[in-house]
Amino acid sequence: MDVAVSVKDITKKYSLYKDPWGPIKEVVTRKKLHKDFFALMGVTIEFPKGESIGILGKNGSGKSTLLKIITGITEPTSGKVDVHGSIVFLDVSSGIDSELSGYDNIFMKGTLLGYSKQEMLAKIDDIIEFSELGEFIGQPVKNYSSGMKAKLGFAISVNVDPDILIVDEALAVGDSSFQKKCMEKMNDFKLQGKTIIFVSHDNHAVESFCSKAAWIHQGELITYGDAKFVGSMYAEFMSGRKPIESIQAEIQYEHAIEQVHYGTTEDGFNLQLNGFVRDQQMVDVQGRFQLAIRDNRTGETVMKDLEPASKGFTVSFSETEFPLFFKPGKFNFWLREEMENKKAVEFSIWAGKADIREQQSKGADHFQYQFKVQQNSLELAIENIGKVEQQVNRIWVEDELLHIEGVAFVRGYETKFENDVLMKFYLTDLSSFERCVFPVEVSETEEITENPAYNPQGKVYNFSRFKVVLDMAELEPGRYESHLSYRMANAPHHRFLNLVWASKLNEYPREPYSTETYTADIQTANKYLRLEKTAKS
């Protein structure tokens, strides 16, 4: 591979003083009065000839310092830079004198870029035409708008035919038509086999324009490789979805889920995952990790150790081990490593080529289970088979007992008798995810016929009344979310689990219930039933 620019172990250190006289005082007193600031720390990157390489990083990360070192504007504190070919730093604002005309600035900036007057005369017509400045080319630049000045600087820089072009956030100049022309010029450079180093904090621009990318954060090189991969990692960090520690761990290891086997038995859902996790020396390191499954909505997480297998690891989860965890919702899969400082690092395990297989179910299908790969990560979606229509009609508190009454039915399922339906009521503490299970009394069933406008067949359904009684004194303090489980006692024996719907606000307590030892607040503002119990000090 031919290399256009080689950056080897570059470090750039600045001395920061609180006092402007600090450097002199430091010499006189022979005391250290400055703070060392490392703009770059041990950065090593090779930029191949003929490729477009992006450099990503938020403001202050060290991107511009690296460019200045490559172009020779500043010297590194340590390390080595080798440049093979002529280089132009496309900074649209530098080398422009506001007192000179646009025409004169073309020659001045050309001289700064290493071209003679005769060479610039041969290029001047192309530069003026590209800049779209027309008769304004003879006016002093101080009379230009910022957009006109940027157009002039860009037009000069891209018409001097360098071997290596460094672009520092310069493609957003001028109006949309000029931006399009700039991009077309950059693509021409790519077709000519020029090396382009494109610096930005916009991962979308880097992913679309570049084949490779480097990500610099606080002076350190986080990763360098395929532009789409690096861009996706950078986007995860900038969005706040992943901390830098997780991304560094994710890059440090090779990891993948290779096989997914799932199905149901009479005991519920079962899941087995096979894959590998190795360090950079290709040594299996699964003993350091646990595999975690997380509910995207609540953050509830279950995890298990990875068991060694013939080629990597295997790990199994079941509804028996984790009752009521595999409920309707969406779930993601993570590797978790406990660090020596007791902090845990998590990262999404790669699943771009996972073989997903459903095993033949041996019991009733409680829910619908669907696995898919989103952005190379495994996602599990669980949904009810069909829909339960339910509503809490009334809530009241009496002698520290919370009474909840409502109705529920499934379209097409006849409930002529009370024991045709089995229900349970769950409260989940949202801080600890501990659950309380309460029996539900199912009373008489009644026939209802829906509005003919929505149901021209006049289908008759049966709804069941349910009642739950909770002893508030026995409930631990906490914030609780409620679910109602609806199970068909007859064929097809489906089970449904829903957040409890409570929209009849006038039928619920309007003020918190209070005793000498606690306060209980019935919350239904979001139409789902929640309960918060707070102990009094």
Side-chain angles (χ1 to χ4, degrees):
M1 178 186 70
D2 292 333
V3 176
V5 179
S6 175
V7 175
K8 294 182 180 178
D9 200 23
I10 290 295
T11 293
K12 181 62 177 178
K13 181 178 71 172
Y14 292 98
S15 297
L16 303 182
Y17 295 88
K18 292 182 179 179
D19 184 345
W21 295 96
I24 297 175
K25 292 179 179 179
E26 196 171 57
V27 173
V28 174
T29 63
R30 296 183 181 181
K31 294 180 180 179
K32 183 178 178 180
L33 302 176
H34 69 271
K35 178 182 178 182
D36 291 334
F37 171 74
F38 289 87
L40 293 172
M41 292 183 287
V43 174
T44 297
I45 307 174
E46 287 191 340
F47 299 90
K49 280 187 178 180
E51 290 201 44
S52 299
I53 304 100
I55 301 180
L56 283 165
K58 62 183 184 178
N59 293 336
S61 62
K63 306 188 303 296
S64 295
T65 302
L66 179 61
L67 296 191
K68 290 175 182 177
I69 291 174
I70 292 174
T71 54
I73 296 173
T74 187
E75 292 291 324
T77 304
S78 62
K80 184 180 179 182
V81 176
D82 291 318
V83 177
H84 305 282
S86 61
I87 189 167
V88 166
F89 184 8
L90 203 170
D91 180 356
V92 296
S93 60
S94 67
I96 302 293
D97 189 329
S98 296
E99 296 299 323
L100 299 179
S101 68
Y103 188 89
D104 291 335
N105 267 291
I106 292 174
F107 289 96
M108 189 181 74
K109 185 158 184 173
T111 300
L112 293 174
L113 294 173
Y115 291 87
S116 68
K117 184 175 182 179
Q118 289 300 119
E119 288 174 319
M120 294 308 295
L121 278 170
K123 301 173 183 291
I124 195 162
D125 290 340
D126 291 336
I127 292 172
I128 294 173
E129 181 183 357
F130 192 94
S131 70
E132 300 179 351
L133 292 176
E135 60 184 15
F136 289 99
I137 198 68
Q139 296 296 315
V141 170
K142 64 183 179 182
N143 296 331
Y144 287 7
S145 67
S146 58
M148 292 169 67
K149 184 177 178 180
K151 284 183 176 183
L152 176 64
F154 191 96
I156 299 170
S157 297
V158 298
N159 280 281
V160 294
D161 196 29
D163 297 316
I164 304 162
L165 180 66
I166 297 180
V167 186
D168 189 5
E169 303 283 7
L171 294 184
V173 300
D175 51 37
S176 59
S177 62
F178 189 80
Q179 289 179 29
K180 182 180 179 182
K181 185 162 67 171
C182 293
M183 186 57 72
E184 289 173 352
K185 186 68 175 179
M186 300 296 290
N187 286 323
D188 286 342
F189 274 118
K190 289 174 67 175
L191 293 174
Q192 294 170 28
K194 308 288 186 183
T195 303
I196 301 173
I197 302 175
F198 177 47
V199 180
S200 179
H201 53 69
D202 182 354
N203 66 292
H204 298 295
V206 168
E207 289 178 44
S208 62
F209 185 73
C210 302
S211 56
K212 294 180 179 294
W215 172 16
I216 296 176
H217 178 70
Q218 294 182 352
E220 294 187 63
L221 179 65
I222 301 300
T223 185
Y224 176 52
D226 178 76
K228 294 189 183 300
F229 172 77
V230 176
S232 66
M233 291 291 101
Y234 178 72
E236 292 278 358
F237 168 70
M238 291 301 292
S239 66
R241 291 191 292 270
K242 291 182 182 178
I244 194 70
E245 295 82 7
S246 295
I247 291 173
Q248 288 174 316
E250 186 170 353
I251 295 168
Q252 178 183 355
Y253 299 107
E254 288 194 6
H255 48 87
I257 293 174
E258 296 182 298
Q259 293 179 325
V260 179
H261 300 277
Y262 70 99
T264 57
T265 66
E266 292 181 356
D267 294 326
F269 178 67
N270 292 278
L271 170 65
Q272 179 178 306
L273 304 163
N274 299 321
F276 65 84
V277 53
R278 310 183 186 112
D279 62 17
Q280 294 179 346
Q281 284 71 45
M282 302 300 290
V283 176
D284 289 341
V285 291
Q286 58 258 14
R288 304 181 192 175
F289 291 92
Q290 292 179 309
L291 196 140
I293 307 178
R294 177 164 298 125
D295 185 324
N296 286 359
R297 186 180 66 84
T298 64
E300 183 178 3
T301 303
V302 298
M303 61 188 72
K304 291 184 68 176
D305 294 334
L306 305 181
E307 298 292 335
S310 57
K311 294 182 179 180
F313 69 79
T314 183
V315 61
S316 299
F317 294 85
S318 71
E319 197 168 345
T320 304
E321 294 175 290
F322 304 104
L324 209 67
F325 175 76
F326 294 103
K327 58 186 181 296
K330 290 186 177 180
F331 304 80
N332 285 110
F333 296 77
W334 302 77
L335 282 175
R336 179 183 176 91
E337 181 182 15
E338 295 287 344
M339 308 302 288
E340 293 181 0
N341 58 7
K342 303 300 181 181
K343 288 182 65 177
V345 172
E346 294 183 337
F347 54 89
S348 177
I349 184 168
W350 194 83
K353 295 183 179 179
D355 179 19
I356 302 172
R357 298 185 183 184
E358 181 178 6
Q359 306 298 305
Q360 186 173 3
S361 297
K362 298 180 181 179
D365 290 331
H366 296 158
F367 303 116
Q368 291 177 331
Y369 304 93
Q370 182 181 10
F371 284 90
K372 60 182 177 181
V373 177
Q374 295 275 53
Q375 296 181 333
N376 293 321
S377 296
L378 186 65
E379 182 179 277
L380 167 62
I382 303 178
E383 297 179 352
N384 284 308
I385 300 176
K387 184 179 181 181
V388 174
E389 306 285 354
Q390 41 108 8
Q391 172 68 277
V392 173
N393 289 333
R394 188 181 173 210
I395 302 175
W396 74 96
V397 181
E398 185 178 344
D399 296 330
E400 297 194 63
L401 296 179
L402 177 66
H403 299 262
I404 303 171
E405 288 185 350
V407 296
F409 74 91
V410 175
R411 297 166 187 255
Y413 180 64
E414 296 292 329
T415 56
K416 297 181 179 179
F417 305 101
E418 295 172 7
N419 58 4
D420 288 338
V421 175
L422 304 174
M423 296 191 208
K424 289 183 179 179
F425 185 88
Y426 299 90
L427 283 181
T428 302
D429 189 323
L430 294 175
S431 60
S432 64
F433 296 108
E434 293 183 359
R435 293 187 175 88
C436 305
V437 185
F438 300 90
V440 177
E441 177 187 338
V442 181
S443 59
E444 77 267 23
T445 66
E446 296 183 24
E447 288 188 351
I448 56 172
T449 302
E450 291 187 289
N451 187 326
Y454 299 100
N455 183 21
Q457 292 81 19
K459 175 68 177 179
V460 175
Y461 299 105
N462 300 84
F463 70 81
S464 302
R465 297 185 183 276
F466 65 84
K467 183 176 181 180
V468 185
V469 180
L470 286 67
D471 189 340
M472 298 294 297
E474 297 295 325
L475 193 66
E476 293 293 327
R479 293 177 62 246
Y480 292 89
E481 184 177 72
S482 61
H483 280 85
L484 183 70
S485 171
Y486 180 106
R487 185 187 292 271
M488 298 175 175
N490 305 318
H493 300 286
H494 290 157
R495 176 167 64 96
F496 306 84
L497 188 68
N498 291 87
L499 291 168
V500 178
W501 183 255
S503 63
K504 294 188 175 182
L505 304 183
N506 292 333
E507 301 298 327
Y508 315 143
R510 299 189 179 185
E511 300 294 334
Y513 176 75
S514 186
T515 69
E516 293 182 355
T517 58
Y518 66 86
T519 298
D521 187 18
I522 312 300
Q523 301 172 348
T524 59
N526 65 352
K527 304 300 175 64
Y528 292 108
L529 178 60
R530 286 190 174 188
L531 171 65
E532 182 171 3
K533 180 177 177 180
T534 307
K536 292 183 178 179
S537 56

